[in-house]
Amino acid sequence: MDYLLSESQVMIRDLARKIAQEKIKPVAAHYDESEEFAWPVMKILAESDLFGVYLPEQYGGLGGGILDMCLVTEELSRACGGIALGYAGTGLGTLPILLHGSEEQKKKYLPAIASGKRLAAFCITEAEAGSDAGSIKTTARKEGNKYILNGTKQWITNAGEAEIYTVIALTDKAKGVRGASAFIVEKGTKGMEFGKKEKKMGIRASATREVIFTDCEVPAENLISREGMGFIVAMKTLDTSRPGVAAQAVGIAQGALDCALDYSRTRVQFGQPISSFQAIQHMLADMGTQIEAARALAYSVARMVDSGAKSVSKESAMAKLFASDVAMKVAVDAVQIMGGYGYMRDYPAEKFMRDAKITQIYEGTNQIQRNVVAANMIKETLKK
Amino acid sequence: MNIIVCIKQVPNTTDVRIDPVTNTLIRDGVESVINPFDAYAIEEAVRIKERCGGKVTAITMGPPQAENALKEAIGLGCDEGVLVSDRKFAGSDTWATSYTLACAIEKLETYDVILCGKQASDGDTAQVGPGISTHLDIPQVTYVKKISEINEKSAKVERMTEEGYDVVETPLPCLFTVVKEINTPRMPSLKGMMRAKSAKIIKWTAADLEADPAALGLDGSPTRVVKIFTPEPRKGGEMISGSPAEVAKELAELLKGEVV
Ligand SMILES: Cc1cc2nc3c(=O)[nH]c(=O)nc-3n(C[C@H](O)[C@H](O)[C@H](O)COP(=O)(O)OP(=O)(O)OC[C@H]3O[C@@H](n4cnc5c(N)ncnc54)[C@H](O)[C@@H]3O)c2cc1C
């Protein structure tokens, strides 16, 4: 399908595809098995300027938008959803600075992110604050010209690997979510530590760790926006980044379909390739159709974000939830088409299935996305 | 440091087809790419620039569409591209080609290092690099697998041989042809590709080069391709079996019979 991408978007997509197919696909199984963080691949992405596609030119980026970021994430995920998350997680950690940071903060942090020299991470989740992000307990107490952070963030993507962390913490416990604020914390700050690396079902090349703050002193100038804006910063960040999760899901689904389609043409049973059986053909047709629908929705919402639309909560929730449900279904079907071989780790189908699952969970579970979509729909009827 | 890298556009296939009548390559419908060996030369040129500073000029002799290869080279880190193109160059053999490229290189202000791939994947002669250094009357080191030291005046390199490698020290300017072992070429960068898109390629014709017209193209080519063919695969040898003593005896008889 022709999505009328601009000339530079086609260039970005083709380069991301080339890197994914030539440099990531051959090592995806290795990193899945070893659970190492794929630094050599991050270096290639950095040198190819892919980390800067969505960042403004004055900060060393290429001046594109979320659609450009989605194109990269999709292509990388088609080869490995875990390695792709090193890239996409950096985007998530960067958005608070890009969307709400001051000129000084942007000048200080964005160029190193655009060049891929430093990765980023976004920290909101805690042991008792998952879907209910409003019940976070991490605090930031102001003392003179600094804030003192205390608390533990959990399941933070890129934690330990990234250099720049955007953290949501309470500056005024009494005010609840209205008392939350966003901070930039650099790796190496005294009082900031990382927990052990989590062992996961999928996206195992991605690093997930706790980020632990114990009387961690952060300069006051690292406050993003104003005190009390933390929750708004977080919600706006997630609204903007969710098309990226959709793109990751589309990429994973496409990768799963690629391998099932190839396999179906070479696997012979009952004297013919299994792709000649209508039961298989219909599965392939549904998979292809669902992926294209998910991609169309993800790109449309990314374009809506890039157009500067005021509220994209409903649409970006729709894109994330639809694409991730498609990814899960397509990946399960890919394994089914490949039969016992699909279940074996010798083929990438089972990995796509394990990787697909996370897209239904993080950046808000799909139940929460449905809550958001429905709440917005109902609100819209009230306005009429 | 002024670094020059000579590149060639070749058909993107290992299975090149040959026109049985003209004995030339069939290029129609085959995508053109930078000669794979030249990709290592480009990467090494860019690395020398990163180490020592300076400028990398990519240069190619070829049809007008070879401009794309130069743009790709700029996307990979080269600073500028020179396309040497003229109908008068048609039919050049390796001697005429290296003469033409040497004329173009002399027209550039100065140069310290010239890099070439060890050979082109279509002709496989490995002659153009050494030919250029001969025409320019500068030293050459072929099959370089590592540039260990390099400064404005000299370089120390490792030259691959069948048994191992030689360590060679040479004054600059010098021409090096490089082998695959020398590096892993990087992926193109978006900024490089954007720069390439708007980059202006310098284009020179035979007249611009002030070359001796008799030394160009078919007229300047002392060699002719008489025939290109795929050699018959070698037939399997003859197996002799038995005890070592019997085998040795039979082999000796056979060799005597063949009068080796
Ligand atoms: C691999 C991985 C990486 C992550 N990376 C990051 C990161 O980089 N930064 C970060 O801040 N967080 C990160 N997270 C956290 C992630 O966003 C949360 O796991 C997610 O939001 C869900 O929270 P929870 O796991 O606590 O589930 P819970 O909130 O406990 O939910 C459990 C179940 O209850 C359902 N549920 C909960 N509330 C409702 C409701 N109101 N209505 C209907 N159903 C409901 C959920 O849908 C789910 O099915 C990551 C998580 C994982 C697993």
Side-chain angles (χ1 to χ4, degrees):
Chain A
M1 197 121 105
D2 185 356
Y3 289 101
L4 305 175
L5 299 175
S6 71
E7 205 183 325
S8 68
Q9 284 165 340
V10 170
M11 200 185 229
I12 289 166
R13 183 198 61 196
D14 291 352
L15 180 58
R17 182 173 297 171
K18 184 177 160 77
I19 293 172
Q21 297 302 312
E22 291 177 19
K23 303 286 181 187
I24 301 181
K25 206 174 168 188
V27 299
H30 162 79
Y31 284 104
D32 179 51
E33 201 71 38
S34 69
E35 304 190 322
E36 290 163 63
F37 191 76
W39 275 113
V41 177
M42 293 303 128
K43 191 160 175 278
I44 294 172
L45 301 180
E47 285 170 354
S48 303
D49 301 323
L50 291 175
F51 278 103
V53 296
Y54 60 97
L55 294 171
E57 282 167 292
Q58 72 259 40
Y59 309 116
L62 285 137
I66 294 300
L67 180 56
D68 302 63
M69 189 212 281
C70 286
L71 293 169
V72 177
T73 303
E74 177 185 338
E75 291 301 333
L76 303 185
S77 302
R78 189 171 174 178
C80 177
I83 293 177
L85 189 55
Y87 175 82
T90 291
L92 178 65
T94 305
L95 284 174
I97 305 175
L98 180 67
L99 299 174
H100 300 277
S102 66
E103 184 56 30
E104 288 71 42
Q105 288 168 339
K106 290 182 191 176
K107 266 200 209 130
K108 182 164 177 200
Y109 295 105
L110 296 185
I113 293 172
S115 66
K117 285 197 185 82
R118 307 176 96 192
L119 303 188
F122 177 71
C123 317
I124 187 164
T125 305
E126 296 175 9
E128 274 145 56
S131 300
D132 183 12
S135 58
I136 54 167
K137 294 201 174 68
T138 298
T139 54
R141 187 179 76 243
K142 187 150 191 197
E143 257 182 35
N145 59 354
K146 43 190 180 248
Y147 286 91
I148 318 289
L149 268 61
N150 277 291
T152 298
K153 295 293 176 183
Q154 170 174 285
W155 299 340
I156 303 307
T157 297
N158 284 349
E161 315 294 337
E163 305 277 338
I164 297 164
Y165 296 78
T166 44
V167 182
I168 310 297
L170 299 175
T171 38
D172 188 344
K173 273 191 273 185
K175 285 195 189 151
V177 291
R178 294 221 180 121
S181 304
F183 298 91
I184 304 167
V185 186
E186 292 185 50
K187 183 179 178 178
T189 307
K190 205 165 144 271
M192 181 196 209
E193 281 169 326
F194 302 105
K196 68 159 183 22
K197 192 160 159 177
E198 302 291 346
K199 291 193 165 290
K200 305 191 294 293
M201 169 197 278
I203 52 160
R204 290 165 51 162
S206 166
T208 317
R209 292 187 174 91
E210 280 177 342
V211 181
I212 306 155
F213 300 101
T214 321
D215 291 330
C216 176
E217 293 184 9
V218 178
E221 73 242 28
N222 285 19
L223 171 70
I224 298 175
S225 184
R226 285 175 281 114
E227 276 190 23
M229 286 289 286
F231 223 67
I232 292 171
V233 170
M235 291 307 121
K236 189 91 179 107
T237 291
L238 291 165
D239 283 351
T240 309
S241 73
R242 281 193 188 109
V245 182
Q248 183 191 26
V250 170
I252 291 172
Q254 186 67 55
L257 175 58
D258 291 345
C259 79
L261 183 58
D262 269 0
Y263 182 84
S264 72
R265 298 183 57 233
T266 52
R267 173 66 173 171
V268 174
Q269 287 293 278
F270 302 98
Q272 48 195 316
I274 60 167
S275 62
S276 66
F277 302 132
Q278 197 179 49
I280 300 287
Q281 288 178 359
H282 284 189
M283 278 171 93
L284 290 170
D286 285 345
M287 291 156 83
T289 307
Q290 286 156 359
I291 292 171
E292 209 57 74
R295 183 180 286 124
L297 183 56
Y299 289 8
S300 302
V301 177
R303 282 193 158 122
M304 187 178 167
V305 172
D306 291 337
S307 73
K310 217 163 143 242
S311 171
V312 294
S313 304
K314 181 182 78 177
E315 291 77 8
S316 77
M318 284 175 162
K320 190 268 183 189
L321 111 83
F322 184 75
S324 59
D325 283 354
V326 162
M328 198 63 236
K329 179 165 191 316
V330 166
V332 168
D333 288 348
V335 171
Q336 191 65 22
I337 286 174
M338 293 173 66
Y341 293 93
Y343 200 74
M344 297 299 150
R345 287 205 208 162
D346 306 334
Y347 289 86
E350 60 84 30
K351 175 180 180 295
F352 283 117
M353 182 171 150
R354 288 183 285 112
D355 288 355
K357 187 64 205 169
I358 191 60
T359 61
Q360 294 180 305
I361 297 173
Y362 62 18
E363 293 197 29
T365 65
N366 282 6
Q367 285 74 22
I368 296 299
Q369 305 309 308
R370 288 184 167 88
N371 291 352
V372 170
V373 172
N376 275 281
M377 286 166 61
I378 292 162
K379 201 164 79 188
E380 282 163 21
T381 62
L382 294 179
K383 270 191 212 146
K384 277 183 195 153
Chain B
M1 186 102 69
N2 282 306
I3 307 148
I4 291 168
V5 54
C6 301
I7 64 175
K8 183 182 187 186
Q9 213 180 29
V10 296
N12 182 19
T13 168
T14 38
D15 181 29
V16 248
R17 283 175 309 135
I18 291 155
D19 186 320
V21 182
T22 61
N23 279 333
T24 53
L25 296 173
I26 301 175
R27 290 178 191 270
D28 288 350
V30 183
E31 186 203 6
S32 294
V33 295
I34 293 179
N35 170 40
F37 291 108
D38 297 347
Y40 299 90
I42 293 172
E43 175 66 26
E44 202 57 28
V46 175
R47 288 189 188 189
I48 295 173
K49 177 179 80 169
E50 286 167 353
R51 261 155 88 177
C52 308
K55 182 174 93 172
V56 179
T57 306
I59 182 161
T60 191
M61 178 182 114
Q65 60 269 29
E67 182 172 349
N68 295 336
L70 293 170
K71 293 211 159 180
E72 206 180 312
I74 292 172
L76 290 163
C78 295
D79 298 284
E80 57 182 39
V82 178
L83 172 65
V84 186
S85 189
D86 198 314
R87 285 189 173 278
K88 295 199 178 88
F89 302 144
S92 293
D93 68 359
T94 57
W95 182 251
T97 301
S98 50
Y99 170 70
T100 310
L101 286 169
C103 291
I105 290 168
E106 282 199 312
K107 197 175 154 65
L108 290 166
E109 274 160 45
T110 59
Y111 54 89
D112 302 294
V113 177
I114 303 172
L115 289 157
C116 301
K118 75 162 172 144
Q119 65 198 56
S121 64
D122 53 355
D124 280 333
T125 67
Q127 289 170 356
V128 170
I132 294 170
S133 79
T134 305
H135 285 295
L136 292 173
D137 198 19
I138 58 168
Q140 53 165 294
V141 185
T142 50
Y143 305 108
V144 171
K145 76 172 185 77
K146 186 173 179 185
I147 297 185
S148 342
E149 288 167 31
I150 186 159
N151 57 47
E152 301 281 327
K153 297 214 155 47
S154 67
K156 192 168 161 184
V157 305
E158 290 176 12
R159 173 180 194 274
M160 198 148 89
T161 64
E162 269 172 32
E163 299 81 30
Y165 63 88
D166 300 334
V167 176
V168 183
E169 260 190 81
T170 170
L172 297 186
C174 179
L175 181 139
F176 302 111
T177 76
V178 304
V179 292
K180 279 184 176 171
E181 287 72 11
I182 195 164
N183 58 43
T184 309
R186 74 194 64 188
M187 284 281 156
S189 74
L190 289 170
K191 285 184 185 167
M193 287 159 84
M194 304 267 179
R195 201 171 54 239
K197 221 170 50 176
S198 55
K200 235 181 103 46
I201 300 296
I202 302 164
K203 290 173 191 166
W204 287 337
T205 60
D208 295 319
L209 295 186
E210 296 164 30
D212 172 6
L216 298 175
L218 203 57
D219 292 344
S221 297
T223 62
R224 287 286 177 281
V225 177
V226 183
K227 188 177 177 203
I228 301 181
F229 62 95
T230 314
E232 289 275 322
R234 272 217 259 165
K235 293 192 194 77
E238 196 178 319
M239 292 301 289
I240 310 170
S241 54
S243 73
E246 285 163 5
V247 172
K249 192 161 168 239
E250 199 179 334
L251 180 63
E253 291 301 323
L254 281 170
L255 290 174
K256 253 196 246 163
E258 297 274 338
V259 201
V260 181

